[in-house]
Amino acid sequence: MTEFARGVLAVVRADRAGTVLVSREPITGLQIAAGHPIGKWHGDPRNRDAWRRLLQMQSKWPHRIVFPEGQDFYDVEYRHQGEPVEGLGAAHLMDGLGVSLPVEPCWDADHVTLEREQLLEGEDGTYRSDTSEVRVRHLSSSAHYEVHGPWVRDGAEAARKGGLAAVRHGGHLWERRADLFPRLQFLPEVEAHLRQLPPVWVQPVRDRLAELEEAVSAWDPDTRPIAPQWRSDVRTEFESRRRLCWFTDLDGEQRLFDWHCDFLPSPGRMHFRLLHEQRTLRIAYVGRKLGV
C-alpha cells in the first residue's frame, strides 16, 4: 500500500491540475487484503501524510461517474485473465492511467493487456460482438511512475503551453480551429457539435481533424482527382444511407456531405464533402452516427 501511494502521489505532483483518483468505492472502505482494512495502514503514523494526500485527490466514485453525460458504455466490457476489470476498462476508455494494489504478481506491471469485447453495429443495422486485445497504462508502485512520468509531464506541459495536445474540451477545437486546422472548413452548425462533445470524444475528434488537415495539406487534385491520400479510414456513405447526409451549405444550398470517418468510442462519426477547386474539405457534422 505504501508503494502504491508513492506511485500515485508522484503522478499528482507532476500534474496536480490534471489528476484525480477514481475508484469503485471510497478508498476509506478499501480492504488491502482479507481481514486487513485500510485503516490498519493509515493508522500507522508513518503513513498519515500520504493518506491525507490520497483523500484530497479522490473526489469521484464509482468509475462510471467520470464518463461523459449520456455515455454509459454498457456495450463494452473489459476482462483480465477472464475476470471483469471495470476500473482498468474505464482508464482505457478515458485514455488515463489504471492503478492497482500489487496484491498479486500480475499487477506489478507498467502496462496491462486486457481483453475488450464490444457490441458493434454494422452498416446494415445488424449487431455483432467484436473481441480484441488492448493495452492500458498501469501503475502499482513508484517504479511504474518512472515509465509513465514523461507521458504525465508532457501532458501537463502541453496543457500549460496550449498546443494541440492540450485540447481538453470541444470548445477549444472550435475556438482554435484557424490555428490548429487552417486548411479545413466548417459549417457554422459544427460549433455546437464541437462544444457539446462528450469528453471521451474530444481526443479522438482532435486526432481525426489533425489527420484530415494533414491529408488535404498534401493533396494535389491533379494527380489525385478523387480524394487525398487519407491518414485513416475515410470513405463515402452507402447508397441506402445517403439520404441522411444532406446539409445546408454556406450558400444556403442543400448538398451531400457523404464522405465520413469514424471515431471511438462508437458510434462517433464526422461528415464532410470535398472541395477540389480549393484543395480542401468542408465539415458539416461531428457527433453520433446519423440515424442512430
Side-chain angles (χ1 to χ4, degrees):
M1 181 64 199
T2 301
E3 264 304 299
F4 169 82
R6 287 173 179 166
V8 171
L9 294 177
V11 175
V12 78
R13 281 194 297 271
D15 188 13
R16 186 171 301 276
T19 302
V20 61
L21 181 62
V22 186
S23 62
R24 182 175 58 188
E25 58 192 28
I27 60 172
T28 52
L30 182 67
Q31 291 280 330
I32 298 178
H36 197 98
I38 199 169
K40 291 187 177 182
W41 176 79
H42 70 68
D44 186 325
R46 294 173 297 178
N47 301 325
R48 286 176 185 168
D49 183 57
W51 174 245
R52 284 194 295 266
R53 294 166 73 188
L54 286 176
L55 287 177
Q56 291 170 355
M57 285 180 59
Q58 188 187 45
S59 62
K60 297 181 179 181
W61 66 84
H63 302 119
R64 291 186 177 274
I65 202 169
V66 302
F67 292 158
E69 184 177 354
Q71 297 292 322
D72 50 36
F73 299 112
Y74 286 118
D75 60 344
V76 60
E77 180 181 71
Y78 291 84
R79 294 183 292 270
H80 179 263
Q81 298 181 359
E83 296 294 325
V85 282
E86 181 182 332
L88 294 180
H92 185 262
L93 286 167
M94 301 302 290
D95 192 34
L97 173 64
V99 297
S100 308
L101 277 172
V103 293
E104 295 182 11
C106 64
W107 303 128
D108 184 16
D110 52 56
H111 284 82
V112 176
T113 299
L114 308 178
E115 181 184 79
R116 179 179 63 183
E117 184 175 4
Q118 188 170 14
L119 192 65
L120 300 178
E121 182 185 10
E123 296 291 348
D124 59 358
T126 61
Y127 288 86
R128 61 181 175 85
S129 178
D130 179 75
T131 301
S132 60
E133 285 191 348
V134 298
R135 276 167 56 87
V136 62
R137 302 179 192 93
H138 185 259
L139 176 147
S140 64
S141 71
S142 57
H144 300 152
Y145 172 74
E146 298 306 315
V147 175
H148 301 299
W151 170 73
V152 175
R153 293 189 294 270
D154 287 349
E157 182 66 10
R160 187 183 68 81
K161 291 183 175 179
L164 180 61
V167 172
R168 292 186 174 179
H169 63 75
H172 286 159
L173 292 172
W174 178 259
E175 293 157 8
R176 303 183 57 205
R177 66 194 185 282
D179 296 325
L180 299 176
F181 317 112
R183 297 175 181 85
L184 303 184
Q185 298 183 15
F186 301 81
L187 292 186
E189 293 79 1
V190 177
E191 177 179 3
H193 302 167
L194 294 177
R195 292 190 183 280
Q196 295 167 12
L197 275 181
V200 73
W201 272 351
V202 173
Q203 180 179 333
V205 168
R206 179 200 72 189
D207 293 344
R208 294 293 84 74
L209 289 173
E211 290 167 354
L212 294 176
E213 169 75 16
E214 183 180 354
V216 298
S217 68
W219 184 28
D220 181 356
D222 292 332
T223 59
R224 296 188 62 88
I226 297 177
Q229 178 67 53
W230 303 116
R231 271 50 174 179
S232 58
D233 183 20
V234 176
R235 58 202 183 277
T236 55
E237 190 59 271
F238 283 91
E239 184 67 34
S240 61
R241 288 181 45 82
R242 288 183 181 174
R243 58 182 174 79
L244 301 171
C245 305
W246 290 85
F247 295 88
T248 303
D249 211 338
L250 295 176
D251 59 2
E253 294 292 328
Q254 288 284 307
R255 290 194 173 88
L256 184 64
F257 289 75
D258 67 331
W259 283 94
H260 65 277
C261 58
D262 300 331
F263 49 87
L264 296 174
S266 295
R269 185 161 288 190
M270 186 183 308
H271 279 268
F272 53 89
R273 74 181 186 92
L274 295 175
L275 286 77
H276 292 71
E277 67 283 0
Q278 299 180 42
R279 208 183 77 177
T280 187
L281 57 83
R282 183 172 296 153
I283 298 168
Y285 176 82
V286 181
R288 292 178 63 86
K289 179 180 176 181
L290 293 169
V292 175

